[in-house]
Every structure is written in C-alpha cells, then in structure tokens.
Amino acid sequence: MSFGIDPVKHLGFGTYVKPTRRISESHQPSAIQILDVSPQLDCARFPPKRIQGEELTVSADILKPGHELLAVNLAWRMRGGDENWNRQAMEFVFNEDRWTATVLLDQLGFFEFFIEAWNDRYSKKIQEIDRWLKSGEDVSADVIDLIELARAAIESAPSSARDLIIDRLNGLPDGTSSISSHEAEQIAKRLSEESFSSLIIANLDKKEYSQSGVFTVIVDRPVARYSAWYEMFHRSQGTVENKSATFKDCEKRLEDVKRMGFDIVYLPPVHPIGHTNRRGPNNTKSESKEDPGSLWAIGDESGGHNTLHQDLGTFEDFAALVSKAKDLGMEVALDLAFQVSPDHPYVREHPQWFFYRKDGTIRFAENPPKRYYDIYPLNFENDDWKSLWEELRRVVEFWIDHGVRIFRVDNPHTKPVPFWEWLTSTIRLEHPEVIFLSEAFTRPKPMKLLAKAGFDQSYTYFTWKNTKYELTEFIREFLLSEISEYYRPNLFTNTPDILSEYLQTGGRPAFKIREALAATLSASYGIYNGFELCENKPKSKGSEEYLNSEKYQYKVWDWDREGNIKNYISKINKIRKENPALHQNSNLKLLDCYGDQIIFYGKWSRDLGNVILVAVNLDPFSVHETTVTVPIQELHLTGSYVVRDLITERNFVWNGERNYIRLDPNVEPAHVLRLEK
Amino acid sequence: MSFGIDPVKHLGFGTYVKPTRRISESHQPSAIQILDVSPQLDCARFPPKRIQGEELTVSADILKPGHELLAVNLAWRMRGGDENWNRQAMEFVFNEDRWTATVLLDQLGFFEFFIEAWNDRYSKKIQEIDRWLKSGEDVSADVIDLIELARAAIESAPSSARDLIIDRLNGLPDGTSSISSHEAEQIAKRLSEESFSSLIIANLDKKEYSQSGVFTVIVDRPVARYSAWYEMFHRSQGTVENKSATFKDCEKRLEDVKRMGFDIVYLPPVHPIGHTNRRGPNNTKSESKEDPGSLWAIGDESGGHNTLHQDLGTFEDFAALVSKAKDLGMEVALDLAFQVSPDHPYVREHPQWFFYRKDGTIRFAENPPKRYYDIYPLNFENDDWKSLWEELRRVVEFWIDHGVRIFRVDNPHTKPVPFWEWLTSTIRLEHPEVIFLSEAFTRPKPMKLLAKAGFDQSYTYFTWKNTKYELTEFIREFLLSEISEYYRPNLFTNTPDILSEYLQTGGRPAFKIREALAATLSASYGIYNGFELCENKPKSKGSEEYLNSEKYQYKVWDWDREGNIKNYISKINKIRKENPALHQNSNLKLLDCYGDQIIFYGKWSRDLGNVILVAVNLDPFSVHETTVTVPIQELHLTGSYVVRDLITERNFVWNGERNYIRLDPNVEPAHVLRLEK
C-alpha cells in the first residue's frame, strides 16, 4: 500500500537530536558545552509556538573551561524549505556565559534551529596581543600567529569573502619573516578591525567545534493566537419551523456575526446523519422519522466525512458561504469529529477499523454505565491503523481543498497523541496556515499534552470557573507564565453541551460578565449561538444541557430578540480589536483588589504604549465596590493619571496605587480601562 | 595502543537515550507518553547526586489519552553490576497523572533507572464489570474476557508465578462456554483480588508499551556530603627551622586534628618539586638553593605524580600516615594538580603533551600579562590526548592503590569538562567510594558544570562573602533549592591562596564568625592550617596572600599558640556531629531578622526530630541585637518553647514568632540553637 506521508517518519519524535559531537576513536569530544537552550519544551520533545511577524530570541549557556574565547552561531531554516541553514552570530551576555540571537519569524510553519560554537582563537590572540602590548612586551611573534590564523581562513571562506581576506593580507609577512615590534603593532591594529575580524572568525579552522541538537518552533498565523469565534448551528439559522436551515441561511447571518465583531464562524459537522438509533428531542431515542438526529452521528448511505448533508446545500453553496465570510474578513471553521454512525460507509468498506464485541458486532461508544447507540468509535490502534490515519488525513485535506483553514477537533483526548502529532505536523508542513482547536475536556495534563503535540488552540475549564477563587486558580493554571509557550486557551462562554449553572441563574448580567471575562482574559474566546440572546433554560435542574437543544431537533431563533447583548458583544470585540495588549496572553497580570466579588487584572504592551486594566464584578445580582491596586511602578506612573472606561467611554482620574471602583451588574458589571497618555 | 577504558564510550554522553518506542513500518508508536521524569538534570545530560542509605523517589507524568488504565514499573540496577533490571510497580498520584516509586539506594556507584508503562486492560475490565454490575447489567461476556486476559498472562509469567495463575484459573470456563450472571460475578470477585491481579497485570501481553530513556543517579558515601576538612601543609608540621617536616611529623599531628573534630586531612602535593625557575620566599624568583619551591611545580629528575618528595618520607611512611588517620576515624585526601615543572619526566617522555611557542620551546603557564615560569600546563587536546588522559587516570589509580579515596583537584576549570566526566565516571565505576573535590574559582556556570560532570564536592566564593547581603546572595546561589541535586559546596574558610580581608582585619572574633558560618551553613567545610591559630598577616596591604607563606618557604608553627580557637572549632564540630540536621544542605532555610549585622537561618530534619537555628553577628567589632523570626508554623510551635545554645550550653525560653537576641563578638558571636523537646 502506498503511504504518501509516513506517520512514523513525520511524528516529530526524536526532535531532540543529540549533538554531532564528532566523536570517534580518533576525535576527542568537544570541550564546548551547549546547555539550557531556550525556547524549548520537555527537553525539545515538543515545539513551542510563536506568531508570524514576531521576533524569536534564542539563547543558551555555552561553556568552555579555561580562558579561551568562543564564537557562536545560530543556524536556522524552515522545515521543508531550503535545505541550507541560515546563520547569524550570537552575542555574549556579559559574565553570564549566556549567548543570544534574535531572528524575525517571517514564514509560517516549522522554524528549525541549532546552535554551533567553536574556539575563537583569533579574538583570543588579539586579546593577548593587546595585553602584552600594555605590559610593554614584544608582540611580533604573536602577530605572525595572528596573520597565519587569518590566512588559514581563506580556504574555508565563501568566495565572496575570500578576495577581501586575500586583499587585506597581501604583502603581510609570513611565518618565516621577522618584523619590528612597531610594525607588528600596526598590523595587529588593522587585523583587529571588526568588519575584517568577524570574517576571519566565521571562517576559522573549527578544530574545536560543538553543535546543539535541532530545536523546532511552530510559527502560526496571528489568528491562531488572537481570535473571536462564533459557533453557528447551521441548521437552526433559518426561519421555517421543523425544517433544516441551509448554507444560504447561514450566509445571510454573516453580516450580523460580523457586526458583533467575530473573526471565525465555526460550523458543527456538515455531513449526513445516520439513521440507526438516531437521537430524538432532548436526547431521547427518536420516535419520529422527522427528527434530524445528532450532527455528530456522522455518515449514512449517501456518504461520510467528505459529504455534505443534503439539507444544508451543495458544495457550491458551501463555497459561497466560505467566500462571503472571507469578503467580510472572517473565516469559516469546520468540526472534525472522528467517529461514525453505524451507517457510515467506513463501516462497510473498512470493518477492520472498529472495535468488536464477543458476538461479532461492532462496539458502540461506551463509558460504563453509558452506551451511545448512534455512534461507533474508530479503533486508532487497529492492525490496519495506517490506512485509517491516512484516510482521516485525506478528510482534512478534502476540506482544505474546499477552502477551510481552521478546524475545531471533537474529543481529541480519546484518540492517541501520536495520531494528532502526525496529523497536525504533516498538515502543517504542506499547509502551514491551517489551525487546529482542541476540544478536550479532561484532566489538565492530557489537555496540555495535546497542545504540545500540535494543537494551535485549546478549550479550557472556563465555563465552570465563576467565583474569584475558581477564576484565579484557573488563570494561574491556563493563562499565566510559561504555558503560553504552547497552550493558547480559547475561552468559550458556552457550547452546545455546556450551559453553566452561572448562566442559568445569573440572568442578563451573568452573560455580560462572562463575555467581558472571556474576551479580555484570553486573546482567543468564543460564544455558541444563543449566548448573545441570553438563552439560559436548562433541560432540567442540575443539568448543563439546553432545554430542547438544537443538537437533537430543528430550531428557529429570533436573532434580535429582546434582552439580547449583541451591542455589548460588538463593543467588547471592538475594544479587543483596537487594543493590541489584548491580542496576547503572555502579558496577562493578575492584580490585587480587596474582596471576593471583584476580580482585577491587566494586560499591557511591552513598551507600555497600550495599557488595559480590567475589573469585573463576578456577582450578577449585587453592586460591589472595592479598592484596586494599580502596579504603578511597573507602569511608570506617578501622581495622578487618567483611565478611560472603553465600555462607558467615561474617564476617571486615578491617583497612586490604590483606587476605588464600584460596579453595578445591572448597569455595567465590568470596567475595561485604558490608561490615557 | 591499548586503551583499557575508552574515554569516548564512558563519557556519559547520550545518557538521555530516546525511548525504545518500537517504531517501525509495521508498529504504531505507543500512545503512552512518559514525560517530566524526576530526578534528572539538564534533560538527563548529567546525573543528580544522592547518598548511600537514602531513599530515592522517582516520579513521572505518564499519559494515555482516553479512559484506559495504565500499569507502570520502575526498572533499576547499578551500572557495571548485574545486567538484569530490578522492577517494582509505580503508584499513581490521584488525579495528577503522576506516578512515583521509592527505592533504597543501598549500593555505591551509578544507579540507573528507566520507567516502563503499558495498557492495563485487566484492571480496566474489572472496572467495567464493576460498573455494569452496579447498573444491573449482565457481565458474563466481560468475565469470559477477563479470564482470557488472565490466561494469556501465563505464557509470559516467570515460572514461579505460572503455577499460581494456572491453579487459580483451573476449571474456569473458556471463550466457548456460557456462564450464569451470578457465576460470572463470583468469578470476577475472585480474579480481582489484589495478590492475583497484580501478578496478571505484570505479565499482561504488553501490546501497548512505552519505555523512558535510561536515567542515572550518582550514589556517594555519606562523607561526600557531610565532612569537615583540615588542609595540612605537610612540610610545615615539624619543629626544626629551615627544614622540611615529614609524614612522621604529620602523623604526630593527627591526634590534634582529631581533637578539633575534623574528618579529612587533606595534603597538598606530595611529589618532587622542579628546580627550573623555582619560586623563592613570597613568590620571588628563588636566589637560594635552600628554597624548597612550590609544591604545585610538580616533578623533577627523580619522578613526577607517582613519586614522593624524598624529604617527606617513604611510601611506608605515607602508608603509616594513612593508616593512623584511619585508626582515628579520619581519611587522608590528596591533591591532584595536573600540571608539571619543566623537570617532570613527562617533558622528556611525552613532549607531544605540551603547548609550544614559535621558537620550539614549551610554553609556560600564562595568562597575559602574567607568566608562571616554574610550571608547564598540559595540552589536554593534543593529538595524543588519549595517552595523556589515560596516564592521568593511572595517577589516580596509583594513589587509590596507596589507600587514598579522596582527591582535591587543583584548577579543574582550566581542563576540558569531558576529561573530568570521563575520569570521574570511569574511576567511580571501579571505585565507587572515591570522592573528588573541585577547586574551581571561576564564573558560577562553569563551576556548576564541573559539579554536574562528576565532582562530588566543590569550592565556592564563601571566603569573599562576608556581609549579610553578600552571604544572602551567595546562599541563594550555592546552597538553596535545586542546586543540592548536584552541587555540594565545601566552604573553606581560607586556603593557601586566600587570606580574606575580613580575616586580616577582624581579629579573633572574625575567625570564630567564619568558623560558625562555614560549619553550619554547609554540611561540608574546611580550614587550612593556621586558621585555628588566627593567622592573619597578609603579604602586603590589599593582597590575599599570607606573609611569608609556607607555599614558598619552610615554616614551623606553634600549634597551641595563644589566642587560638581550637576549643571553639572542637565545640562546633562536636555540635555538627551530634545534630543530623547539619549533615545536609537541601534543608537550609534563610530566616528573617531585622538589620544588616545579624544573619539568621535554620536546618531541621524532616520529622522535626532535630531543629537547629543559627544566628551569627557578622560584625567582628561590635555588639548587635535584633529580633529574629522563628517559622513557628513550619516547626509546629505554639506558645513558649525552649532553645538551647549548644555553644554556651545555656537555655532560652522563647515565645511565639519574634524573639530578641544579642550577640557580642568578643564573647560569642554566634548562637547555634537547638530546639528542645
């Protein structure tokens, strides 16, 4: 069987290549040690993430005992691009034995780098000559050495540099000559000029040479980090009851979504739905042929993951939707749910891809004591795993061919990490603009592992974190510190599966609170349609399911119904767009304020050109006031200063570190304050 | 040339072996991820250090997406010992995806371990049966599965377990049988008993299996961490002026050193001294044939590193010294100074081992603008490096054969790290009781690198850290936190090269202060003879050299001269011996106290059985008082409690967190307080 892209070879395992130390019976291991290379994750097992257009600073401890000097290069290239490595000299951080270099990440994909270091005998010789001169000693022998070091560089220099070196050395004495001390001093001066010496150093005979392993950094599009998602339940976007809406209906809604300020319109699965054990309203067993069934029970006789549900429209309609979104500056994202209904073509064509029960029937999805009778899970570890993996990759490529560049992945934590590592990396190699969002709700470490393995964005526990204590713990675990090296949280306020108790009970203020938090805590967030309408009726008390959820039945919404917060969302998204401090997460700072009801935090650009301070009253029922602590030292503030609430467009004159605020959830539960200059 | 122990193979490079993931065209990479293994240093590039008799706790994140269960083993052995791996099951830390196991380190040398994990389908099946039973479903098919899993384990089980399993499964139904639900439940119960199920789990068909790389931990003798050193300048231990003392004179002094409470008597080089460019008194060029020269200008026509200086005595005398020390419970340590005088036999026999000048002469040690005319450095990177490295290893083995097990290594930072890594690891493999002390005074990172590369103890900047600010910074960098994983500071109060300004000017109180600090801050410390006599005259103002240093001339001391602090040292060393909290460094805590003159810190055993609090007045001239902050919560103290000053043997009743102290340097500059029960 042909296996175009080898999952083993492209898994990314073994990225942490041991240095080429040129060890052999006849070569001594290099005394130059390259340690603590940054950035990297888990001993370079996984790649950190960056954004196109950013600068990347690489640093390392490079140690060579004794008094010798080193020269160090950063070598880098894009994986799959030019085979040659670009090189630039790294700089020494005085007295700390650390070297750094900064490069612009101007291409999408896998940025690869290594560090090479060698003994800089040329600079050492110049340093010695200088010291001997200062103590009045004759340096002519040392200068002859210096000339010879330079001369030896001619051979290894690239042709462009060669002539320059030859020219400069022309007429200088060789090893057999003798020169006066004065002459030697003059020559040393000329050969020490930086433009010349850097040429020699780069082309020195690298007798003592050491090389780090190869490290990798993912370079993503800016939207991988900064994005506002709108989950659009396509079949509910119409106006006719008891009937599926279409892509054309979705298209009509795009202007509305755009007005609210979203960047990404995410559609749940668009495929045929199985009829075996189809689910009915409120997740009952369907009793009616009219029930549309769950979108996640994918596939029927007409096709599977590469087929459109006939009620939604044609590929032309889909293309028109994608195109209209693009015209509006938005993107369409699709759901990747790698599971099938019992009627999916895979069941007939690839029975080896499934799990079996003793009686020879295929096993339903189950997690005792529950069984999901409308879904078969795929066995990713079956003996014919390669054909399954490759088929799923073809599904992704199919939708890429249809203009989709963003995928929300359903339940990735129930499939093997090596599969995701292979899928995302092989797709990224050919389509570096593609973005994957992980919908894993499980323990923290597996969620983080999926992000490390290649997902560009990840769902979180945000919906369940509502008190100040819960939010603070959550922020510490998923937003602060080094996690932004690889984990980009997407704070969805709600999902088709999660209507939190807080939203069920907190009324319209609760929705505004959650919108403000999601949109300012994280550079990426999302809402699932209905949130803007403050839809909050649960299936039953204690349930997080929506009553009469559109997951199991047709639904028609009034998208402008009374009490909606669409203007509020528009305003929040506009604030996000206009304030670059809100486009990243690594700058988030939790700030102090008294009490358990108001949370206070900030984000600011490194040059302090854009400083945002956010205070949110977490209690949707009552007015609360507090004193917040502004980090005036870090913000270089003295005396009084003006902060502007970008929601109410009111200015406040604040003074010093501690300032009073009062937030009424029935007026505005949150301040999003910009420091005015 | 024969090269008994290959320096390349034994360098320890590549310890961080990539997991045997069984990757091949036909095998899927394991979905089980083993991450963040502890303990390890620099991605397992270097081994952490432990002490024989301690327990080692190994832990790791082990992740397998989905709902499956895992079984995990720690596998371990001593390098160079039995080729087979010992195995013990690791335990799951609830909800954190972390697994741990603890083993006793009962053997010296390199402890090696790896982690292996596999899919525990047996426990998973038991869990499922339990859940189906609870929801009242029939489990007979699942129990048949369970029996078959157990049956499949018979083949891979060791013979001892095989019979037990066969016996237990005897008479149970097979895949073709049908059993009643009640019968199934009974069988499930019996097959779930832990003693039986653990046998099955260990011998399951490991279809999904993952293995970490191999990690290494150095296991040292207790004295590698806890030791008091006395540097004895052998040729000054006698009573006759202008004449070298002998090993017999040294032997006579051992009782005195023992009374002071030292564990290790360290002798500077004991070899013949070169006559070429011999140094005279106070490091002048020698003008007299009577000048003894520097001990570090090693070698003359009579021999080099394997030869004794004839003035010191015979190998029998040396053996008697070593033996007498042993009888007193002490050990003799030797100096390893890998450099030679121009008269050393190596110069004639191995001219290829040296650096050369243009004129064909061998280069002296130099560091512009200084040259050291009595010493040739060795070129560790010469083309014949293997013969040099092997010869130096033979030097170490020579002294091991003569009963030495502890070596203080002169200037290791001027030699390649791979040399030390090879030397210490190959010696450790054959003689795991040998201990190396690194005398590297250079930047922090190279000093730490040498410790990581295999040195058991290391010198520090302690002599230059005298103010509270300096000491605090120093403690943070060299004593607190993770550094004790690999760096064991030996706080020498003085050396033949360093008489600090503090000691020069602070009088007798300064010596007591430095003794108390060195001996209680670090589990290992040392003094260079003369310190106990408060010898403090510098060669000149601003110099750290001793006046008329015994490095360059004969010297006779009155070892009981007035003003000595030998009783004080005895008392401090006795306190050290009697208080196990002072035998380690990882337990050091810097504690709060007001002001810049008194420093306060503590060490306590984990069970709080031994709690030591130390307050030292750092000002040798004036009385100071302060309020110290006792960590009463951590020490489980409430109300009042008694602390006993082990120096003055006085008790104090303290109360609560803050307590007053007053320290007069002319009486006792330090409290070493033990919490009384």
Side-chain angles (χ1 to χ4, degrees), chain A residues 1 36 76 79 130 201 225 243 255 262 307 318 326 375 424 598 658 676:
Chain A
M1 194 190 88
D36 195 16
W76 58 271
R79 189 187 294 175
D130 192 49
I201 293 162
R225 189 170 67 197
K243 189 167 178 296
E255 302 265 7
F262 290 99
T307 308
F318 182 77
K326 198 177 173 189
I375 291 172
T424 59
I598 295 178
R658 290 178 202 260
E676 303 294 279

Short mmCIF file of all heavy atoms in Angstrom, two decimals, chain A residues 1 36 76 79 130 201 225 243 255 262 307 318 326 375 424 598 658 676:
data_model
loop_
_atom_site.label_atom_id
_atom_site.label_comp_id
_atom_site.label_asym_id
_atom_site.label_seq_id
_atom_site.Cartn_x
_atom_site.Cartn_y
_atom_site.Cartn_z
N MET A 1 0.84 -1.20 0.00
CA MET A 1 0.00 0.00 0.00
C MET A 1 0.88 1.24 0.00
O MET A 1 1.87 1.32 0.72
CB MET A 1 -0.86 -0.01 1.27
CG MET A 1 -1.99 0.97 1.22
SD MET A 1 -2.77 1.11 2.84
CE MET A 1 -1.76 2.40 3.55
N ASP A 36 21.01 24.27 28.27
CA ASP A 36 19.88 25.12 28.62
C ASP A 36 19.44 26.00 27.45
O ASP A 36 19.30 27.22 27.58
CB ASP A 36 20.26 25.98 29.84
CG ASP A 36 19.03 26.61 30.50
OD1 ASP A 36 17.91 26.16 30.22
OD2 ASP A 36 19.20 27.57 31.27
N TRP A 76 19.51 28.46 11.29
CA TRP A 76 18.08 28.25 11.23
C TRP A 76 17.57 28.13 9.80
O TRP A 76 18.19 28.59 8.85
CB TRP A 76 17.34 29.37 11.96
CG TRP A 76 17.62 30.75 11.41
CD1 TRP A 76 18.62 31.58 11.79
CD2 TRP A 76 16.90 31.41 10.37
NE1 TRP A 76 18.57 32.73 11.06
CE2 TRP A 76 17.52 32.67 10.17
CE3 TRP A 76 15.80 31.08 9.58
CZ2 TRP A 76 17.07 33.58 9.23
CZ3 TRP A 76 15.35 31.98 8.64
CH2 TRP A 76 15.98 33.23 8.47
N ARG A 79 11.48 24.10 8.10
CA ARG A 79 11.43 22.68 7.74
C ARG A 79 10.67 22.54 6.43
O ARG A 79 9.63 23.16 6.23
CB ARG A 79 10.73 21.87 8.83
CG ARG A 79 10.85 20.35 8.59
CD ARG A 79 10.01 19.55 9.57
NE ARG A 79 10.49 19.70 10.95
CZ ARG A 79 9.86 19.17 12.00
NH1 ARG A 79 8.75 18.48 11.84
NH2 ARG A 79 10.35 19.35 13.21
N ASP A 130 47.00 42.54 22.81
CA ASP A 130 46.64 43.77 23.49
C ASP A 130 47.23 43.81 24.90
O ASP A 130 47.81 44.81 25.33
CB ASP A 130 45.11 43.84 23.53
CG ASP A 130 44.64 45.21 23.95
OD1 ASP A 130 45.13 46.19 23.37
OD2 ASP A 130 43.77 45.29 24.86
N ILE A 201 36.76 35.15 11.92
CA ILE A 201 36.21 34.30 12.99
C ILE A 201 35.21 33.29 12.41
O ILE A 201 35.23 32.11 12.76
CB ILE A 201 35.53 35.18 14.08
CG1 ILE A 201 36.60 36.00 14.79
CG2 ILE A 201 34.77 34.32 15.08
CD1 ILE A 201 36.05 37.19 15.56
N ARG A 225 -3.56 32.94 17.61
CA ARG A 225 -3.48 33.42 19.00
C ARG A 225 -4.61 34.38 19.35
O ARG A 225 -5.11 34.37 20.47
CB ARG A 225 -2.14 34.09 19.24
CG ARG A 225 -1.91 34.40 20.70
CD ARG A 225 -0.50 34.84 20.98
NE ARG A 225 -0.21 36.12 20.37
CZ ARG A 225 1.01 36.60 20.17
NH1 ARG A 225 2.07 35.87 20.52
NH2 ARG A 225 1.21 37.76 19.61
N LYS A 243 -37.71 22.32 10.05
CA LYS A 243 -37.04 22.14 8.77
C LYS A 243 -35.60 22.60 8.96
O LYS A 243 -35.32 23.51 9.74
CB LYS A 243 -37.74 23.01 7.72
CG LYS A 243 -37.29 22.76 6.28
CD LYS A 243 -38.27 23.43 5.31
CE LYS A 243 -37.86 23.27 3.86
NZ LYS A 243 -36.61 23.91 3.51
N GLU A 255 -23.47 38.85 8.10
CA GLU A 255 -23.33 40.29 8.37
C GLU A 255 -23.59 40.56 9.86
O GLU A 255 -22.90 41.36 10.48
CB GLU A 255 -24.37 41.09 7.55
CG GLU A 255 -24.29 40.90 6.05
CD GLU A 255 -23.45 41.98 5.37
OE1 GLU A 255 -22.83 42.78 6.09
OE2 GLU A 255 -23.40 41.99 4.12
N PHE A 262 -16.99 39.20 15.32
CA PHE A 262 -16.30 37.91 15.37
C PHE A 262 -15.40 37.71 14.15
O PHE A 262 -15.63 38.30 13.08
CB PHE A 262 -17.30 36.77 15.51
CG PHE A 262 -17.94 36.76 16.88
CD1 PHE A 262 -19.21 37.31 17.09
CD2 PHE A 262 -17.25 36.24 17.97
CE1 PHE A 262 -19.77 37.33 18.35
CE2 PHE A 262 -17.82 36.25 19.23
CZ PHE A 262 -19.08 36.81 19.43
N THR A 307 -18.78 14.27 2.68
CA THR A 307 -20.07 14.50 2.02
C THR A 307 -20.82 15.59 2.79
O THR A 307 -20.67 15.69 4.01
CB THR A 307 -20.88 13.18 2.04
OG1 THR A 307 -20.06 12.15 1.50
CG2 THR A 307 -22.15 13.31 1.22
N PHE A 318 -21.73 25.83 -0.14
CA PHE A 318 -20.70 25.88 0.89
C PHE A 318 -19.60 26.86 0.49
O PHE A 318 -19.14 27.69 1.29
CB PHE A 318 -20.14 24.47 1.14
CG PHE A 318 -19.09 24.44 2.23
CD1 PHE A 318 -19.48 24.49 3.58
CD2 PHE A 318 -17.74 24.38 1.93
CE1 PHE A 318 -18.52 24.48 4.59
CE2 PHE A 318 -16.79 24.37 2.94
CZ PHE A 318 -17.19 24.41 4.27
N LYS A 326 -15.14 35.35 3.85
CA LYS A 326 -13.84 35.92 3.51
C LYS A 326 -13.98 37.38 3.11
O LYS A 326 -13.20 38.24 3.54
CB LYS A 326 -13.22 35.10 2.37
CG LYS A 326 -11.73 35.30 2.22
CD LYS A 326 -11.14 34.42 1.14
CE LYS A 326 -9.69 34.79 0.91
NZ LYS A 326 -9.13 34.13 -0.26
N ILE A 375 -23.44 5.95 17.74
CA ILE A 375 -22.05 6.23 17.36
C ILE A 375 -21.14 5.01 17.54
O ILE A 375 -21.18 4.34 18.56
CB ILE A 375 -21.49 7.42 18.19
CG1 ILE A 375 -22.20 8.72 17.78
CG2 ILE A 375 -19.98 7.56 18.03
CD1 ILE A 375 -21.88 9.90 18.66
N THR A 424 -1.31 16.81 12.67
CA THR A 424 -1.12 18.27 12.65
C THR A 424 0.22 18.63 12.03
O THR A 424 0.32 19.63 11.32
CB THR A 424 -1.22 18.87 14.07
OG1 THR A 424 -0.23 18.28 14.90
CG2 THR A 424 -2.59 18.66 14.68
N ILE A 598 -15.00 41.08 43.23
CA ILE A 598 -14.44 41.77 42.06
C ILE A 598 -13.06 41.21 41.76
O ILE A 598 -12.24 41.02 42.65
CB ILE A 598 -14.38 43.29 42.30
CG1 ILE A 598 -15.82 43.83 42.43
CG2 ILE A 598 -13.63 44.00 41.17
CD1 ILE A 598 -15.92 45.31 42.71
N ARG A 658 -3.62 52.83 44.98
CA ARG A 658 -4.92 52.28 45.35
C ARG A 658 -6.05 53.19 44.90
O ARG A 658 -6.03 54.39 45.18
CB ARG A 658 -4.99 52.07 46.86
CG ARG A 658 -4.07 50.93 47.25
CD ARG A 658 -4.02 50.65 48.72
NE ARG A 658 -2.77 49.95 48.96
CZ ARG A 658 -2.67 48.62 49.11
NH1 ARG A 658 -3.74 47.87 49.12
NH2 ARG A 658 -1.49 48.06 49.27
N GLU A 676 -4.75 56.43 29.81
CA GLU A 676 -4.62 57.51 28.81
C GLU A 676 -3.27 58.20 28.97
O GLU A 676 -2.74 58.29 30.06
CB GLU A 676 -5.75 58.53 29.00
CG GLU A 676 -7.14 57.91 28.90
CD GLU A 676 -7.45 57.38 27.50
OE1 GLU A 676 -7.82 58.17 26.64
OE2 GLU A 676 -7.31 56.15 27.29
#
